[in-house]
Amino acid sequence: MSFQAIGLGLDETKLDSPQSFPDQEETEEAEDQQLLEPGAWRTYASRRNALREFLAADLSPHLLKRHHARMQLLRKCSYYIEVLPKHLALGDQNPLVLPNTMFQLIDPWKFQRMKKVGTAQTKIQLLLLGDLLEQLDRGRAELDALLESPDPRPFLAGWGRVEERLADLSAVMDNFLAMMVPGRLHVKHRLVSDVGATKIPHIRLMLSTKMPVMFDRKESVAHQDGVSLRWFVTVQPPVPEPFELRFKLLDPRTQQECAQRGVIPVAACTFDVRNLLPSRSYKFTIKRAESYTLVYEPWRDSLTLQTKPGPSIGPTPHWLDKPSPPPPNCTF
């Protein structure tokens, strides 16, 4: 049930018409108004409108849907640890601003330890974002149920708790948006060992995000003895990236067919895999190549394609039919 705080008067022209009747919403609203004094009703209508405006502006279904889509994207991203001079602006992707000597000064053991810290922090950050989003969903559902309440008196009596809930949800939304800002994921540690009289450079550690690599489902096609694969990144990097393409034959039938698999390094966003078997299904997986600074990569895109049939050689005589051997026990 929904209520309206304005337009409560009935149209006299409609009353004169024998075919005009008040709809169910108007009837229920009139009944609710009879439960309250005029002053209490005005207060109820005002607070109800305020709650509706909050849900429409700060917690709308469209906004929550967008946040869910962003969360799905973050769960597919790759996360890297970056070592930056303190004077470098966040988000500067120019690889020339960081001299190669910087990594030479960093203690490798400490850097590996900080990568583990970065992995843990990234997982915690994603869990926190998911929890905050769930709180927003529950808050929206609770407030919707409050608007649907048939009795306005509990609404007025509990308005103090409603105001507290609105303040809590506003704080949750602020925290959620703050955590979504690029560069908020960061770790700090002293990575440079003492170098005697040499001046220790001022550096900082940040966790950067790269958009997921995904197959182009429309442009990736199968042929009789191979496939042509295409993939893309939503935000193209300033310099070309190396990728790692994996493929394997699904349901191999012989030990020889178990060899129909491999890992291919690719320096572009296209590749043709050849020498595949006709009329068979293959699974392909694409990801970025391993990097020294990678800390977390929870997802990689995969695609299954079936090659086209080979030339027909006619039916096999029944006296040549042999029972199919059991599938091989392939070890990968």
Side-chain angles (χ1 to χ4, degrees):
M1 181 194 316
S2 60
F3 299 82
Q4 294 183 358
I6 59 176
L8 298 178
L10 298 177
D11 191 341
E12 295 181 357
T13 59
K14 292 183 179 180
L15 289 176
D16 294 336
S17 173
Q19 298 180 352
S20 297
F21 299 95
D23 59 24
Q24 182 179 0
E25 183 175 356
E26 292 175 346
T27 302
E28 292 174 346
E29 190 174 73
E31 294 174 353
D32 292 340
Q33 187 172 2
Q34 293 176 2
L35 299 175
L36 300 174
E37 295 295 332
W41 173 259
R42 287 192 293 271
T43 301
Y44 169 73
S46 175
R47 291 174 176 177
R48 189 178 182 83
N49 280 339
L51 180 55
R52 280 176 169 171
E53 291 176 2
F54 176 84
L55 291 177
D58 299 343
L59 214 59
S60 68
H62 176 70
L63 183 62
L64 291 177
K65 183 178 179 180
R66 287 179 53 191
H67 289 332
H68 276 282
R70 294 178 69 184
M71 272 303 305
Q72 291 298 324
L73 182 62
L74 284 177
R75 292 189 177 106
K76 295 180 179 180
C77 288
S78 303
Y79 296 87
Y80 295 79
I81 194 170
E82 287 192 59
V83 182
L84 304 174
K86 286 191 175 182
H87 65 272
L88 181 65
L90 179 63
D92 194 335
Q93 299 294 326
N94 185 358
L96 301 179
V97 297
L98 185 64
N100 294 330
T101 55
M102 184 69 72
F103 272 100
Q104 296 177 4
L105 296 175
I106 294 176
D107 187 308
W109 182 84
K110 291 182 178 180
F111 188 73
Q112 291 300 322
R113 185 175 64 179
M114 289 311 303
K115 285 178 62 177
K116 294 181 180 179
V117 174
T119 301
Q121 181 170 321
T122 302
K123 293 179 179 179
I124 293 173
Q125 193 86 6
L126 291 175
L127 288 174
L128 288 175
L129 283 170
D131 181 70
L132 292 174
L133 192 53
E134 289 180 2
Q135 291 184 43
L136 295 175
D137 288 334
R138 289 196 301 267
R140 169 79 198 196
E142 293 172 3
L143 296 178
D144 276 337
L146 188 61
L147 286 176
E148 296 295 331
S149 175
D151 191 346
R153 290 172 295 189
F155 182 92
L156 284 176
W159 180 249
R161 293 189 298 273
V162 174
E163 287 184 314
E164 293 178 359
R165 188 65 173 133
L166 295 180
D168 291 341
L169 289 174
S170 294
V172 170
M173 179 64 78
D174 291 342
N175 291 335
F176 179 82
L177 295 176
M179 288 187 181
M180 298 286 283
V181 176
R184 291 287 298 183
L185 301 176
H186 63 277
V187 291
K188 296 181 180 180
H189 192 75
R190 182 172 178 175
L191 296 179
V192 180
S193 302
D194 294 336
V195 289
T198 305
K199 183 178 179 181
I200 299 177
H202 296 285
I203 62 176
R204 59 176 175 169
L205 296 183
M206 305 292 295
L207 284 179
S208 63
T209 304
K210 290 186 179 180
M211 293 294 103
V213 184
M214 294 181 287
F215 282 111
D216 188 331
R217 262 78 179 165
K218 294 182 179 181
E219 297 297 329
S220 298
V221 295
H223 311 291
Q224 177 181 317
D225 60 348
V227 297
S228 298
L229 299 173
R230 305 290 184 271
W231 55 87
F232 64 92
V233 181
T234 305
V235 179
Q236 291 295 334
V239 294
E241 290 185 280
F243 300 97
E244 180 183 280
L245 175 65
R246 293 175 178 264
F247 75 96
K248 68 175 181 180
L249 172 66
L250 300 178
D251 300 323
R253 302 166 186 170
T254 65
Q255 289 295 338
Q256 290 75 14
E257 289 185 356
C258 289
Q260 286 273 313
R261 57 182 292 119
V263 180
I264 306 171
V266 185
C269 290
T270 63
F271 192 81
D272 294 343
V273 183
R274 298 300 183 189
N275 300 320
L276 301 182
L277 301 175
S279 299
R280 303 297 292 275
S281 294
Y282 288 82
K283 181 179 180 179
F284 304 90
T285 305
I286 190 66
K287 63 182 291 289
R288 291 184 174 88
E290 290 294 330
S291 170
Y292 180 65
T293 58
L294 176 67
V295 296
Y296 190 52
E297 192 176 40
W299 178 87
R300 59 191 62 180
D301 196 16
S302 61
L303 175 65
T304 299
L305 293 175
Q306 182 172 354
T307 52
K308 295 182 179 180
S312 177
I313 57 177
T316 302
H318 68 87
W319 50 270
L320 290 179
D321 288 347
K322 295 182 181 180
S324 300
N329 184 16
C330 300
T331 56
F332 301 125

